[in-house]
Amino acid sequence: MPGDEEVALAIYQALRAQGGISSDEELRKAAGVDADQAGRGRRRLNELGLVQVVDGVLEAVEPDTALVRTMDAYHANAAEQVRNATALQHLTHSLMTLYRPAATRDPSQVEVEYIVDRRRKDRTLVALETTSQHSVDAMHPGPMPTAQVLETSLERDIDTMRRGAHLRAMYPLVLLQSPRYSGYLQELHEAGVEVRLLDHAPLDMIIHDRAAVCLPADPDDPGVAMLVVRGAALIRAYSAFYDDFWLRAVPFPMAEPPGSGAAGLTLQERAVIRLMAGGLSDDQIARKMGVHRRTVQRAVAKLMERLHASSRFEAGLKLGQDPELVKALRPTPSGGPSVPAPP
């Protein structure tokens, strides 16, 4: 029994020989096939575009003409698919990013993402900064990263500000003792970042557009994991926390130079003493300030020598009896009265 392709070829040759056939009976006789074979053969010729009906007469189509028509139909179909895919992409984006969150997310809902992988942390920070449109508020307690990281960070800050975002950054006062870091602060200031300095920052924190905050899962060991917190309820609290420290900090151009503090103490020594007065151990103070433990011990020893104390406990007692030193340990924000340092 001949296959569909053989039957189709027999019908096609009969059509070409007679120039056209007007009835099924005539077609079967001309091609020498039965009714079933004739139906299958015509379907195959229709698929190939090798037949057409003109005024009720079935005619053969030249193979070259059928090929051109097939390619035209393919291109038209491909273009339609591209248009449909683009429309589907736009619809999906609107549904997932606008309407679905509006319908399902409670504005007070809190979302916390726990990130351990270092590369993923870096990608997350870069993604948040490069998409920030309104503000980026950063607090960095130290230690400072490499010069290459600082340069890359400055470039991203400049790009963010070009989009119209306002950038604020807080750093420890002890950076003024390093020409390299004080130079970096000057570059930030000249680029348009609003910079302020404070004795110490409690933790590393970045708030993006008042919508997401990045902070370490463990402030005493910030390299372990990073938290990304979203949700209006917590973001407002973190923003208030940041603004409180911002008001206590000193604007960078007006910050006093190292060694100019009252009572003959350097900025670093004053920060150490304030943290010690808060009950922190030498190791905890060193981690918070990003310095070596010996640096903390030297500052504590200087205080004990100044107060003629034989122990940290005795130094704490005498500290409250030295008005000049107590005054030296209270930061004075620009344009405002002295305020007690936070514990």
Side-chain angles (χ1 to χ4, degrees):
M1 183 176 179
D4 291 351
E5 209 72 68
E6 294 175 325
V7 173
L9 180 58
I11 294 174
Y12 183 71
Q13 290 173 335
L15 289 172
R16 287 181 60 85
Q18 297 193 19
I21 296 176
S22 58
S23 69
D24 293 340
E25 182 66 25
E26 184 181 356
L27 177 64
R28 289 195 296 271
K29 290 180 180 180
V33 296
D34 59 27
D36 179 64
Q37 292 172 335
R40 289 188 286 115
R42 284 194 60 174
R43 284 195 294 271
R44 179 57 179 161
L45 291 174
N46 281 325
E47 291 175 359
L48 295 172
L50 290 173
V51 292
Q52 63 183 5
V53 177
V54 179
D55 297 331
V57 178
L58 184 65
E59 298 178 349
V61 176
E62 291 297 322
D64 290 344
T65 302
L67 180 60
V68 170
R69 291 176 179 176
T70 300
M71 293 302 298
D72 288 344
Y74 171 79
H75 288 305
N77 183 56
E80 181 64 21
Q81 289 182 353
V82 171
R83 289 192 292 270
N84 290 339
T86 302
L88 177 61
Q89 182 181 5
H90 291 161
L91 287 172
T92 302
H93 182 269
S94 297
L95 290 172
M96 296 301 294
T97 63
L98 295 177
Y99 293 95
R100 184 175 181 272
T104 61
R105 180 177 295 176
D106 184 346
S108 64
Q109 180 180 352
V110 174
E111 299 176 2
V112 180
E113 186 178 3
Y114 187 87
I115 304 175
V116 177
D117 181 71
R118 179 53 186 265
R119 287 178 297 181
R120 187 180 168 204
K121 285 193 285 186
D122 292 341
R123 289 196 301 268
T124 301
L125 288 170
V126 172
L128 285 170
E129 182 166 1
T130 55
T131 56
S132 295
Q133 300 294 325
H134 306 292
S135 65
V136 178
D137 296 328
M139 176 189 294
H140 302 294
M144 298 291 283
T146 64
Q148 182 179 0
V149 172
L150 292 177
E151 182 178 352
T152 302
S153 176
L154 178 59
E155 292 174 356
R156 288 202 303 266
D157 289 343
I158 293 175
D159 290 339
T160 303
M161 288 185 289
R162 284 173 180 164
R163 295 195 303 272
H166 177 224
L167 270 61
R168 297 189 297 175
M170 283 189 283
Y171 290 93
L173 276 164
V174 295
L175 294 188
L176 293 180
Q177 297 179 345
S178 167
R180 180 175 68 175
Y181 294 140
S182 61
Y184 171 71
L185 296 178
Q186 184 64 35
E187 288 182 321
L188 277 179
H189 172 68
E190 292 176 354
V193 179
E194 195 172 355
V195 180
R196 290 196 178 187
L197 306 176
L198 67 171
D199 283 351
H200 79 281
L203 76 167
D204 209 324
M205 180 171 66
I206 307 177
I207 305 174
H208 300 272
D209 279 341
R210 299 277 166 141
V213 58
C214 299
L215 64 160
D218 182 359
D220 292 329
D221 195 0
V224 174
M226 180 180 77
L227 299 179
V228 181
V229 181
R230 295 179 176 87
L234 269 182
I235 297 300
R236 283 194 293 267
Y238 281 119
S239 297
F241 174 81
Y242 183 93
D243 290 340
D244 180 67
F245 274 86
W246 181 260
L247 292 174
R248 297 167 184 263
V250 180
F252 165 67
M254 302 178 63
E256 55 185 345
S260 65
L265 297 173
T266 67
L267 298 172
Q268 188 179 64
E269 290 167 341
R270 293 164 63 190
V272 169
I273 293 169
R274 287 182 57 198
L275 292 172
M276 187 190 74
L280 275 66
S281 67
D282 291 349
D283 289 334
Q284 290 173 320
I285 295 173
R287 284 196 297 269
K288 280 190 172 294
M289 294 186 59
V291 298
H292 198 277
R293 187 171 183 269
R294 289 193 297 270
T295 302
V296 177
Q297 291 173 331
R298 284 195 296 268
V300 173
K302 182 172 182 178
L303 174 67
M304 293 173 61
E305 181 182 357
R306 159 70 189 271
L307 297 175
H308 304 290
S310 58
S311 67
R312 292 168 62 106
F313 178 75
E314 184 180 359
L317 291 177
K318 290 187 175 182
L319 177 62
Q321 301 171 1
D322 190 333
E324 182 183 0
L325 187 56
V326 171
K327 182 179 179 181
L329 300 179
R330 294 181 178 179
T332 306
S334 176
S338 296
V339 294

